[in-house]
Amino acid sequence: MSTITLGGNPVHTSGELPKIGTQLADFKLVKNDLSIATLADFSGKRVVLNIFPSIDTGTCAASVRKFNETAANLHNTVVLCISRDLPFAQKRFCGAEGIENVVNLSDFKDGSFGKTNGLEITDGVLAGLHSRAVIVIDEKGTILHTEQVQEIANEPNYEAALAVL
């Protein structure tokens, strides 16, 4: 369990982020068209996983915008924006914002991605949602970088995540 904060108040996650140098666990997440995406779908590419509580908050939206802007210039790299939002909300947001360089994926069905990776918030007003985190993997699924953002209202360290690429 990790302790993070929301507005300075402590909240807890279901575990710890996976360790650098290990393999990211396979996942089944829902795409905007309601089909399923797995880790194998991104094999051979470097992957930035931008994980957050909800696309409908200012900080989460800012991270999607920032990674969308950055992703356009990354070679052999895909950015996955992952939350428990319904795929319809993710699609609506990206359509309204003109965001085309990231892949939105939803963990709305059972939250297994969040639970497997220690990201599920277990108490407080956001219980059940994912904490704000970034995980970067190489072409073979090996974890190169992780960041558990300590204060949910803060943006991740974009430069640190992109530096490992």
Side-chain angles (χ1 to χ4, degrees), residues 23-29 31 36-47 49 78 80 105 113 137-141:
Q23 294 293 301
L24 183 68
D26 195 13
F27 55 76
K28 289 183 179 178
L29 295 167
K31 297 183 199 179
I36 300 297
T38 67
L39 183 57
D41 294 336
F42 306 101
S43 180
K45 294 187 183 232
R46 300 176 303 173
V47 180
L49 295 94
V78 62
L80 308 180
L105 298 173
F113 174 82
I137 62 172
D138 69 10
E139 296 87 344
K140 296 179 182 176

Side-chain angles (χ1 to χ4, degrees), residues 63-76:
S63 73
V64 172
R65 287 185 199 105
K66 179 66 174 179
F67 277 119
N68 179 67
E69 175 186 313
T70 304
N73 302 313
L74 298 174
H75 174 70
N76 196 38

Side-chain angles (χ1 to χ4, degrees), residues 12-156:
H12 302 93
T13 64
S14 58
E16 304 289 330
L17 292 181
K19 302 288 183 211
I20 292 173
T22 64
Q23 294 293 301
L24 183 68
D26 195 13
F27 55 76
K28 289 183 179 178
L29 295 167
V30 182
K31 297 183 199 179
N32 286 347
D33 66 2
L34 302 180
S35 65
I36 300 297
T38 67
L39 183 57
D41 294 336
F42 306 101
S43 180
K45 294 187 183 232
R46 300 176 303 173
V47 180
V48 177
L49 295 94
N50 175 35
I51 306 150
F52 50 87
S54 175
I55 194 70
D56 287 320
T57 67
T59 305
C60 300
S63 73
V64 172
R65 287 185 199 105
K66 179 66 174 179
F67 277 119
N68 179 67
E69 175 186 313
T70 304
N73 302 313
L74 298 174
H75 174 70
N76 196 38
T77 303
V78 62
V79 176
L80 308 180
C81 293
I82 302 169
S83 69
R84 298 227 36 208
D85 290 302
L86 290 173
F88 315 113
Q90 294 171 335
K91 185 175 181 178
R92 173 194 41 79
F93 173 82
C94 288
E97 296 279 331
I99 292 174
E100 299 176 342
N101 299 318
V102 300
V103 176
N104 286 303
L105 298 173
S106 176
D107 194 18
F108 84 94
K109 287 193 174 194
D110 63 6
S112 61
F113 174 82
K115 292 171 186 160
T116 298
N117 292 292
L119 297 161
E120 183 178 48
I121 299 170
T122 59
D123 54 7
V125 297
L126 298 182
L129 299 179
H130 295 334
S131 63
R132 184 176 318 287
V134 176
I135 300 172
V136 180
I137 62 172
D138 69 10
E139 296 87 344
K140 296 179 182 176
T142 302
I143 298 171
L144 304 174
H145 169 83
T146 63
E147 177 190 10
Q148 173 66 75
V149 178
Q150 289 304 302
E151 168 57 49
I152 294 172
N154 293 342
E155 292 182 57

